[in-house]
């Protein structure tokens, strides 16, 4: 009876707020977002909604989804913030937006996206379902990340007042687990383009943001039990497509189990060190300048394997690509045993460096396998 006396008036208030809120459509509430400050350097909530609308539409277009539905959901996504219900019960933001959207006659996809755009709210939370909801959710998180990094408000230590780590993990999980074929640099650049010129003044913020996200991704993958060396090998190349990371990790794990893996990883590490010391940008190796049998043999094997590896990579068959590379092990070993790379004659030296650069480029199609070497 005591509990009832407390709960009943709260439920009565909620019913009243709900009935009152339904008298005004979400669309009609948008002007009330204009005086609501999102951040003093990033403008109002209404300005943010306009950015979200454009960004969600652009993402939906990339996904070949319903652009109009994504734009509509993004336009209405924050309107419930100025309802009486959410004012009284802030934890219902998004949830009430969905109910009010349905009451206004909005489509089911739009209404569901309004609620789902906050997801995932925490570790293990469900992801937004469908391309429209995913587009709006990504837009919401990317706008926050780009905006705050763009004005230099970067998380430091334990301080993260704008929950940017959670936003970054949300973006990564949506891209990787949905999965969605979107490039991270494109997402960051497209989000940044939505801000007024001169607003994002922090130098190099886009690269800083991507590094921040790869650090979050590294931690996320380690929590799943993945080997640290394998994670480092894949993420060292800063893959643009986060959705392809799990397949690349699986490929590197399979490659690591091959008997040729350790020797090739060590050879690749040696190649990387040689290329760091080389002057200028290596060109294409010239067959006519090759002198030793071992370098000729390696050249021909690289020429033979290269199209096969590139084809496997293009088809996202990363395990097959690395297995094809494993066949180069004997030729690579013989090359380093018989050939002096840093020859005194400049053309010979440059040509051998060019051959190694071509080999390194081929070996790093999937991951930086030199990181698998002790």
């Amino acid at each position: 009876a005591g509990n009832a006396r407390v709960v009943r008036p709260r439920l009565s208030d909620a019913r009243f707020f709900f009935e009152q809120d339904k008298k005004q459509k979400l669309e009609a509430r948008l002007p009330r977002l204009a005086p609501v400050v999102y951040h003093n350097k990033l403008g109002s909530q209404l300005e943010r909604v306009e950015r979200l609308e454009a960004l969600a539409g652009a993402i939906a277009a990339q996904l070949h989804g319903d652009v109009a539905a994504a734009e509509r959901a993004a336009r209405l996504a924050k309107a419930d913030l100025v309802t009486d219900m959410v004012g009284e019960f802030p934890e219902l933001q998004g949830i009430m937006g969905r109910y009010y959207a349905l009451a206004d006659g909005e489509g089911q996809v739009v209404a569901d996206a309004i609620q789902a755009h906050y997801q995932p709210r925490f570790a293990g939370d469900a992801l937004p379902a469908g391309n429209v909801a995913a587009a709006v959710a990504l837009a919401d998180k990317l706008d926050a990340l780009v905006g705050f990094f763009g004005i230099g408000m970067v998380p430091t230590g334990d301080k993260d007042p704008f929950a940017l780590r959670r936003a970054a993990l949300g973006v990564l999980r949506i891209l990787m687990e949905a999965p969605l074929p979107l490039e991270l640099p494109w997402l960051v650049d497209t989000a940044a383009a939505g801000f007024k010129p001169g607003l994002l003044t922090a130098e190099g913020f886009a690269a800083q943001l991507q590094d921040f996200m790869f650090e979050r991704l590294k931690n996320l993958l380690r929590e799943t039990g993945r080997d640290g060396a394998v994670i480092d090998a894949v993420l060292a190349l800063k893959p643009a497509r986060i959705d392809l990371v799990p397949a690349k990790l699986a490929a590197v794990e399979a490659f690591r189990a091959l008997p040729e893996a350790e020797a090739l990883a060590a050879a690749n590490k040696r190649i990387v060190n040689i290329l760091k010391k080389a002057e200028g940008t290596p060109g294409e190796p010239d067959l006519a300048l090759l002198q030793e049998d071992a370098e000729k043999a390696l050249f021909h094997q690289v020429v033979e394997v290269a199209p096969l590896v590139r084809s496997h990579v293009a088809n996202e068959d990363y395990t097959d690509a690395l297995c094809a590379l494993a066949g180069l092990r004997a030729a690579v070993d013989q090359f380093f045993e018989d050939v002096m790379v840093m020859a005194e004659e400049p053309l010979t030296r440059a040509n051998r460096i060019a051959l190694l650069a071509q080999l390194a480029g081929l070996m790093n199609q999937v991951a930086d396998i030199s990181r698998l070497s002790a």
Side-chain angles (χ1 to χ4, degrees):
N3 288 337
R5 280 196 298 272
V6 174
V7 171
R8 188 173 289 111
R10 293 295 279 164
L11 293 175
S12 178
D13 288 346
R15 177 188 285 272
F16 174 77
F17 293 143
F18 183 57
E19 297 300 335
Q20 288 297 112
D21 284 339
K22 285 195 298 180
K23 292 178 181 178
Q24 186 178 29
K25 290 180 179 289
L26 289 176
E27 176 78 33
R29 295 180 181 275
L30 290 176
R32 291 176 57 187
L33 291 174
V36 179
V37 176
Y38 173 57
H39 185 274
N40 59 2
K41 291 185 179 181
L42 297 175
S44 69
Q45 280 285 7
L46 183 57
E47 289 173 312
R48 182 164 194 252
V49 163
E50 291 167 354
R51 294 195 302 268
L52 296 184
E53 188 176 355
L55 182 54
I59 294 171
Q62 286 290 111
L63 296 173
H64 306 292
D66 188 334
V67 174
E71 291 176 341
R72 184 64 177 168
R75 181 171 177 77
L76 300 177
K78 304 299 181 183
D80 69 347
L81 295 178
V82 289
T83 61
D84 292 337
M85 182 71 92
V86 173
E88 184 70 16
F89 305 102
E91 64 274 17
L92 293 181
Q93 57 187 285
I95 295 171
M96 294 315 302
R98 176 179 177 276
Y99 281 111
Y100 293 141
L102 291 173
D104 291 348
E106 301 289 344
Q108 188 73 48
V109 171
V110 170
D112 289 345
I114 290 172
Q115 177 172 341
H117 89 276
Y118 288 106
Q119 294 172 317
R121 296 173 186 256
F122 50 84
D125 191 18
L127 299 181
N131 286 344
V132 170
V136 183
L138 286 172
D140 182 53
K141 294 163 181 58
L142 286 163
D143 180 85
L145 287 162
V146 169
F148 286 111
F149 268 77
I151 60 173
M153 305 288 286
V154 180
T156 55
D158 293 333
K159 295 181 179 179
D160 186 11
F162 305 109
L164 298 184
R165 291 188 180 94
R166 185 174 67 189
L169 286 170
V171 170
L172 294 167
R173 281 195 59 205
I174 292 170
L175 293 175
M176 188 165 59
E177 296 175 29
L180 300 179
L182 299 169
E183 295 192 351
L184 184 59
W186 178 86
L187 288 168
V188 171
D189 290 345
T190 305
F195 288 84
K196 292 178 180 178
L199 194 63
L200 307 180
T201 56
E203 188 176 347
F205 74 87
Q208 184 184 21
L209 172 56
Q210 291 180 60
D211 288 342
F212 173 80
M213 296 190 72
F214 279 118
E215 196 59 36
R216 304 282 79 69
L217 180 57
K218 185 183 294 186
N219 294 336
L220 179 64
L221 293 170
R222 281 177 175 166
E223 288 173 5
T224 66
R226 296 278 192 176
D227 183 273
V230 173
I231 294 170
D232 289 345
V234 172
L235 299 190
L237 301 183
K238 297 184 179 180
R241 291 269 302 274
I242 304 301
D243 61 308
L244 300 180
V245 167
K248 291 183 178 182
L249 290 169
V252 174
E253 287 169 346
F255 171 77
R256 202 178 187 189
L258 298 175
E260 300 89 350
E262 187 174 348
L264 276 175
N268 197 37
K269 192 170 187 176
R270 187 173 177 181
I271 291 169
V272 169
N273 291 331
I274 291 171
L275 294 177
K276 282 180 182 177
K277 298 173 185 176
E279 297 178 357
T281 304
E284 291 292 319
D286 185 348
L287 179 59
L289 293 175
L290 300 176
Q291 299 172 8
E292 305 289 342
D293 289 342
E295 61 183 330
K296 291 177 183 177
L298 180 58
F299 174 86
H300 289 300
Q301 285 214 26
V302 168
V303 169
E304 183 179 331
V305 169
L308 183 61
V309 171
R310 293 189 184 109
S311 174
H312 286 318
V313 170
N315 293 325
E316 300 173 14
D317 297 327
Y318 302 117
T319 302
D320 290 341
L322 289 177
C323 286
L325 285 171
L328 295 173
R329 185 258 174 97
V332 172
D333 286 349
Q334 199 65 47
F335 175 88
F336 279 119
E337 187 172 328
D338 296 352
V339 177
M340 174 65 71
V341 178
M342 306 306 282
E344 291 186 13
E345 206 285 308
L347 286 178
T348 301
R349 181 172 64 248
N351 198 54
R352 288 171 179 172
I353 289 172
L355 175 58
L356 291 182
Q358 188 178 61
L359 176 60
L362 200 59
M363 294 174 79
N364 290 336
Q365 290 271 310
V366 178
D368 179 1
I369 64 172
S370 67
R371 292 174 180 264
L372 302 178
S373 175

